[in-house]
Amino acid sequence: MPNKTVMTAEDMRRTLSRIAHEIVERTRDIRSVVLVGMQTRGVPLANRLASLITEYEKIEAPVGALDFSLYRDDLGRRNFNPQVKSTDIPVGIEGKVVILVDDVLFTGRSTRAAMDALIEYGRPKIIQLAVLIDRGHRELPIRADYVGKNIPSAANEDIKVKLAETDGADEVLISSGE
């Protein structure tokens, strides 16, 4: 199956705007929010959400970047050499509402690893999860608090999120993994 576009740049813009509004509406003290992007594509998504929150609420939500590759549960199980990226969380997270941001939620294993890595930096009041795409196929009891779009997919299909910051364009594609 060739690549099929399931979200355009405009779809992504509207979706991120909706997620930012949901974050504002659901958070009692928006000043306690820290957005933490999961490396790699979660980081630009977190930055976009922070910009939208600033636009709507006239406050700046801190944004961090989290590398969780060394917390993965498959490190010793396959020929996997993680490319360690930087972690930069510019504020303390103790007692804060930390929203992990990722592009695609699939099995839940990356989210579990990210939560393990995040706890190394303190004990947040709440950890929430915001994802652009939820494709199902969970292997762990993890769900997103903020979902851009649910895209039911076959396990052998690939969902590719492209972002202007990392790929030069905004779109979400689905294709057969075979």
Side-chain angles (χ1 to χ4, degrees), residues 18-33:
R18 179 179 46 79
I19 291 172
H21 278 292
E22 288 177 11
I23 290 169
V24 169
E25 290 169 3
R26 291 187 201 175
T27 307
R28 290 183 194 264
D29 180 12
I30 195 67
R31 295 181 194 291
S32 68
V33 168

Side-chain angles (χ1 to χ4, degrees), residues 6-93:
V6 292
M7 286 184 89
T8 64
E10 180 59 19
D11 295 332
M12 291 172 67
R13 185 198 62 74
R14 278 194 313 271
T15 298
L16 290 172
S17 178
R18 179 179 46 79
I19 291 172
H21 278 292
E22 288 177 11
I23 290 169
V24 169
E25 290 169 3
R26 291 187 201 175
T27 307
R28 290 183 194 264
D29 180 12
I30 195 67
R31 295 181 194 291
S32 68
V33 168
V34 178
L35 296 161
V36 177
M38 294 167 56
Q39 290 283 16
T40 298
R41 285 176 180 79
V43 176
L45 290 173
N47 281 309
R48 290 185 193 189
L49 288 170
S51 293
L52 290 165
I53 290 169
T54 298
E55 181 182 327
Y56 304 146
E57 294 298 303
K58 308 301 183 241
I59 63 137
E60 292 201 24
V63 179
L66 181 67
D67 177 60
F68 57 90
S69 56
L70 297 178
Y71 292 83
R72 293 176 55 103
D73 63 1
D74 59 354
L75 279 177
R77 296 190 177 186
R78 58 183 173 148
N79 293 334
F80 179 71
N81 293 323
Q83 292 182 340
V84 178
K85 296 178 176 60
S86 66
T87 291
D88 177 25
I89 301 175
V91 297
I93 62 168

Side-chain angles (χ1 to χ4, degrees), residues 107-168:
T107 63
R109 292 185 179 277
S110 292
T111 303
R112 187 223 35 96
M115 287 190 294
D116 287 349
L118 187 66
I119 296 301
E120 296 285 328
Y121 294 90
R123 186 175 188 274
K125 177 180 179 184
I126 299 170
I127 299 174
Q128 295 179 328
L129 177 62
V131 297
L132 184 63
I133 305 295
D134 184 343
R135 64 174 292 188
H137 301 282
R138 223 64 87 239
E139 295 175 1
L140 298 173
I142 289 175
R143 66 162 177 77
D145 300 277
Y146 308 98
V147 177
K149 184 170 184 157
N150 287 293
I151 300 179
S153 61
N156 68 333
E157 290 178 314
D158 289 323
I159 293 184
K160 174 72 173 164
V161 174
K162 291 187 174 186
L163 299 175
E165 296 90 337
T166 56
D167 307 295

Side-chain angles (χ1 to χ4, degrees), residues 1 3 135 154-160 173-178:
M1 167 171 85
N3 288 340
R135 64 174 292 188
N156 68 333
E157 290 178 314
D158 289 323
I159 293 184
K160 174 72 173 164
L173 306 169
I174 187 169
S175 64
S176 174
E178 297 176 353

